[in-house]
Amino acid sequence: MKDSKNKTYRIAILGILTAIIIIQNFVPFLGNIPIPPLNPTIIQITVIIASFVLGTKEGMFVGGVWGVVRMIKAYTLPASPLDLLLFTNPLISLVPRILIGLTAGMTFRFFQKKGKDSLGMAVGAVVGSLTNTVLVLGFIALLFGNEYAAALDVAPANLMSALSVIVATNGIAEAVASAILAPIVSKALLKARRK
């Protein structure tokens, strides 16, 4: 009976988090803060929560859903001409989002084995968020460096410096938000499961 309740809980939470990911992608200001040419995001928090509450595989699944929805949105509702160029590529849209669940989940489990759940959630949230930021920007620089440099109005030789500024501003802000919000929501969901 207990296993059945646990399975039902896990399926319900996975469904809710998946629905939240889809809503965050399509409702303005709910998942992204549009500041062209980038869209700083808070959607990674939902993926991180999935990896903490349900497990690394489920976190990767929710991240994969985000990546697929992001690709669909780039084709159907691009926020800028860059969206169609950049986010239709699976290496930019899909891979970093899946790896959020992997890195956040593995980091949390490492600390959890040492009995440091709260610290593990905070560190895991930062690692997961930075995984997304660094990989998305890294793949953009690797695959579309010249085009992205032109969009940022910087010389291609200065692109890495410009991307470093983005990581230092948007990336750090996203990581801090993740470190604060993901543990709060995750702890509440885990507490509800125990009840």
Side-chain angles (χ1 to χ4, degrees):
M1 181 74 172
K2 190 175 181 182
D3 286 343
S4 175
K5 282 184 180 179
N6 189 37
K7 187 175 181 181
T8 303
Y9 169 87
R10 292 174 67 79
I11 290 170
I13 295 298
L14 185 61
I16 290 167
L17 293 175
T18 301
I20 290 171
I21 284 282
I22 293 167
I23 292 167
Q24 284 178 309
N25 271 279
F26 289 103
V27 176
F29 301 106
L30 194 56
N32 292 60
I33 305 162
I35 305 170
L38 282 182
N39 286 326
T41 183
I42 55 172
I43 302 175
Q44 76 281 355
I45 295 170
T46 308
V47 178
I48 293 165
I49 291 167
S51 68
F52 291 168
V53 174
L54 301 174
T56 302
K57 289 179 187 173
E58 289 84 352
M60 292 171 71
F61 172 80
V62 173
V65 170
W66 176 18
V68 169
V69 171
R70 185 66 183 94
M71 287 175 67
I72 292 168
K73 186 179 177 188
Y75 279 112
T76 59
L77 298 166
S80 72
L82 277 179
D83 263 15
L84 198 54
L85 174 67
L86 304 176
F87 293 104
T88 54
N89 188 311
L91 278 177
I92 297 171
S93 278
L94 199 56
V95 172
R97 278 58 191 259
I98 292 171
L99 292 179
I100 293 169
L102 179 66
T103 59
M106 287 179 66
T107 303
F108 171 59
R109 302 291 176 244
F110 173 80
F111 281 93
Q112 192 179 40
K113 287 177 186 174
K114 298 178 181 293
K116 298 181 178 180
D117 291 20
S118 294
L119 179 62
M121 285 184 181
V123 174
V126 169
V127 169
S129 183
L130 289 176
T131 296
N132 181 55
T133 303
V134 170
L135 288 180
V136 167
L137 293 175
F139 283 133
I140 287 172
L142 182 68
L143 301 172
F144 302 104
N146 291 335
E147 295 88 341
Y148 199 64
L152 293 176
D153 199 27
V154 298
N158 296 330
L159 179 61
M160 293 312 291
S161 298
L163 293 178
S164 297
V165 170
I166 293 170
V167 171
T169 54
N170 292 346
I172 299 300
E174 290 171 1
V176 169
S178 298
I180 293 168
L181 296 174
I184 291 170
V185 176
S186 298
K187 286 176 185 177
L189 289 172
L190 288 168
K191 190 174 180 182
R193 178 171 69 182
R194 285 192 281 270
K195 288 182 179 180

